Amino acid sequence: MRLKLLTLALSLAAVSLPSHGEDLLDAYRQARANDPVLAQADATRLAIHEQVPQARGLLLPQINGTLGLQQQSSSGGSSSSSSDSGVSRDDLGHTRTRSMSVELDQTILNLADVANLQAAHSTSDSQQQTYEAAAQELFVRVATAYFTILNDQEQLKYAKANEEAYRVTYDQAEQQYKVGIAAVTNVYQAKSFYEAAKATTISAQNTLENDRQALTVITGQPVGELKVLRSDLPMEAPAPNDPQQWVDSAMKNNPTLLAAQLSVDAAEHSVNAARAGHLPTITASLSRGKSTTWLENGSYNAITNGGAGNGRWGNTIGVTLSVPIFSGGITQSKVRQALYERDESQDSLELTRRQTTQNTINYYNSVMAGISEVQSGKAAVESAQEALDATKAGFQVGTQIMLDVLTAIQTLTQNQSTYSASRHQLVLNRLLLRESAGTIDYKDMEYVNSLLQQPTAQ
């Protein structure tokens, strides 16, 4: 998987960006290179992986070298002299010793270290899956921010059209009142709707600017003109058209769920490591060293003549068996702690499994419902437009009142807003379904990108 992600990153970097109409893939490429959330997940993954060589190193040979120098003061008070050397004991001065050694230690049996190595592998694999989840989530985060902007743009367009329609109606009501063919009530009603529409437009503009900044946080780049969602969206049901198959896929492929499972495995190994604290360990050692002793006043022979082997290299080899007997209850406490942590990991896994199942079914149902919502929303917009046209015509001939016209304009705008939101949400729900199933990849972004087109001139 790591190789696939690296290949993907290199291929993305090799693709040049178009000079006009930024699309979803452009935003994703920028996010892949600049998103701090993904970069943080990658750094965490690499840091956790270093636990593996650290745990393995405890089972490999350990080599240490030492060099020591000691000085010992001779005891005074004796005036006797050596018959062999003719040197008084009071004249010997300080005794100095230099020692050098190299020692190699090798673990032969330590089940705790073995279990800790297995736990480190599981923890590293779990973090790898967490990174995969972050990489998959990036698809959805970019798409969500992108389509939120597109929806905001349409909401602003409808708000402006709504404001303009109310302005025209307000102007018309004022003219009719001035010539005496309409009551002042029409003017007040029209002005009320018009002023509210202006406030809605300002709010929509502010929302758009805020959401453009939200995409910049992910991509690290200013947002230019975006391609928009075309009108003829495919209305096919998810394939496979069976929610249980999507759930089965999630149980096998969802990286967050796999990470939770690997965390349980790591916790099991940690329990074994804690229990191994009761077991003996065996270590082999090999050392080579020498020690040289001399006197400060240069009377080296006074010591060396009486000390066979002084200054010569010597070898030591041995095997150490260490049997833990009593540690004040620390080992038992560590076992209990490891068991509690394993239980917590198992509960977290079960919760993740249930949430993954729930999310997968919810997204599947949302896609199915979204198809109907888009179809119904389109019909509702068409009907609201026809109703507005008929209401305006009726107002001209006196069969409708001003409030009917204002209400018809409001209904059309609401239906347009709902229709736009349902179209963009349908596309996002398809991506969310694939993310929950653990199967979302770059091809899904390419497919969604194919649903975009250059914005038409306003």
Side-chain angles (χ1 to χ4, degrees):
M1 180 61 73
R2 183 183 306 172
L3 181 60
K4 291 173 61 181
L5 293 175
L6 177 60
T7 304
L8 173 60
L10 293 176
S11 64
L12 293 179
V15 179
S16 60
L17 301 182
S19 59
H20 63 282
E22 182 180 353
D23 60 18
L24 183 61
L25 293 183
D26 297 329
Y28 177 73
R29 295 184 189 106
Q30 295 168 356
R32 184 78 195 191
N34 302 307
D35 178 49
V37 175
L38 184 63
Q40 183 182 29
D42 186 39
T44 302
R45 172 180 65 91
L46 295 175
I48 295 298
H49 179 70
E50 291 303 318
Q51 294 179 3
V52 175
Q54 292 172 17
R56 184 188 298 116
L58 298 176
L59 297 171
L60 298 179
Q62 311 290 312
I63 301 177
N64 295 292
T66 60
L67 173 63
L69 179 63
Q70 295 179 334
Q71 177 173 286
Q72 181 180 2
S73 299
S74 60
S75 59
S78 175
S79 60
S80 61
S81 55
S82 171
S83 59
D84 295 331
S85 61
V87 179
S88 172
R89 288 294 182 184
D90 293 335
D91 297 333
L92 292 179
H94 300 297
T95 302
R96 292 175 177 173
T97 302
R98 182 179 62 239
S99 59
M100 294 180 291
S101 66
V102 178
E103 182 175 354
L104 182 148
D105 296 315
Q106 173 62 60
T107 298
I108 298 177
L109 176 64
N110 191 322
L111 297 180
D113 288 346
V114 173
N116 284 329
L117 176 59
Q118 294 172 331
H121 276 292
S122 296
T123 301
S124 177
D125 293 342
S126 176
Q127 193 60 45
Q128 177 66 36
Q129 290 299 324
T130 299
Y131 173 76
E132 299 297 340
Q136 291 191 10
E137 186 185 17
L138 183 62
F139 291 123
V140 174
R141 288 195 294 118
V142 172
T144 299
Y146 188 97
F147 283 107
T148 297
I149 293 175
L150 296 189
N151 184 59
D152 290 344
Q153 291 177 165
E154 292 205 359
Q155 299 301 328
L156 179 59
K157 180 181 69 174
Y158 298 142
K160 289 181 176 179
N162 190 48
E163 178 185 341
E164 178 62 18
Y166 283 137
R167 186 194 64 78
V168 171
T169 304
Y170 173 52
D171 291 344
Q172 183 181 11
E174 276 196 318
Q175 292 298 324
Q176 291 176 344
Y177 171 71
K178 289 178 181 179
V179 299
I181 61 175
V184 71
T185 303
N186 290 351
V187 178
Y188 293 151
Q189 289 177 336
K191 183 178 181 180
S192 175
F193 277 79
Y194 175 50
E195 294 297 336
K198 288 197 294 183
T200 300
T201 301
I202 295 173
S203 177
Q205 181 68 54
N206 184 64
T207 299
L208 173 59
E209 293 303 322
N210 290 340
D211 288 337
R212 289 172 69 87
Q213 288 300 315
L215 180 57
T216 299
V217 169
I218 302 175
T219 63
Q221 302 293 330
V223 179
E225 184 183 38
L226 303 180
K227 290 185 178 181
V228 299
L229 196 62
R230 69 178 195 234
S231 58
D232 56 331
L233 292 181
M235 294 289 108
E236 296 90 354
N241 192 6
D242 179 8
Q244 186 56 47
Q245 293 188 40
W246 286 96
V247 171
D248 293 341
S249 175
M251 295 300 102
K252 296 177 181 178
N253 303 311
N254 185 282
T256 301
L257 184 59
L258 295 178
Q261 178 61 66
L262 289 166
S263 294
V264 173
D265 295 341
E268 290 284 1
H269 293 311
S270 295
V271 170
N272 294 335
R275 286 172 172 165
H278 294 288
L279 303 178
T281 60
I282 301 177
T283 305
S285 62
L286 171 66
S287 64
R288 178 174 174 82
K290 70 175 182 177
S291 178
T292 303
T293 303
W294 71 96
L295 298 178
E296 183 184 18
N297 64 4
S299 301
Y300 178 74
N301 291 335
I303 301 298
T304 57
N305 288 346
N310 187 38
R312 298 177 183 177
W313 289 97
N315 299 323
T316 303
I317 187 171
V319 177
T320 302
L321 171 66
S322 178
V323 181
I325 298 176
F326 180 69
S327 58
I330 295 177
T331 303
Q332 293 87 338
S333 177
K334 288 183 177 180
V335 171
R336 292 193 299 269
Q337 180 185 19
L339 289 172
Y340 296 146
E341 291 174 347
R342 182 200 61 186
D343 293 343
E344 186 274 334
S345 297
Q346 291 176 337
D347 293 336
S348 178
L349 171 62
E350 181 60 25
L351 178 60
T352 302
R353 181 182 292 112
R354 295 180 185 182
Q355 289 177 335
T356 301
T357 301
Q358 178 189 20
N359 292 339
T360 304
I361 295 176
N362 287 348
Y363 291 136
Y364 177 87
N365 292 335
S366 295
V367 171
M368 297 299 295
I371 294 173
S372 300
E373 290 174 2
V374 171
Q375 294 171 338
S376 299
K378 182 178 181 180
V381 170
E382 294 172 351
S383 298
Q385 184 64 61
E386 293 174 354
L388 175 59
D389 295 339
T391 303
K392 286 182 177 179
F395 178 73
Q396 296 297 328
V397 299
T399 60
Q400 300 288 338
I401 62 176
M402 175 61 68
L403 183 59
D404 294 333
V405 176
L406 297 173
T407 302
I409 295 174
Q410 185 181 59
T411 300
L412 174 60
T413 303
Q414 291 175 343
N415 289 345
Q416 289 173 329
S417 176
T418 302
Y419 176 53
S420 173
S422 62
R423 292 175 69 245
H424 293 95
Q425 191 60 49
L426 174 60
V427 178
L428 288 176
N429 285 339
R430 291 184 185 276
L431 290 177
L432 288 167
L433 175 60
R434 299 192 68 85
E435 181 198 17
S436 184
T439 58
I440 188 172
D441 57 21
Y442 189 68
K443 292 182 179 179
D444 295 305
M445 298 293 279
E446 290 180 322
Y447 170 75
V448 173
N449 199 64
S450 69
L451 303 178
L452 303 177
Q453 64 182 10
Q454 291 290 347
T456 58
Q458 298 296 325

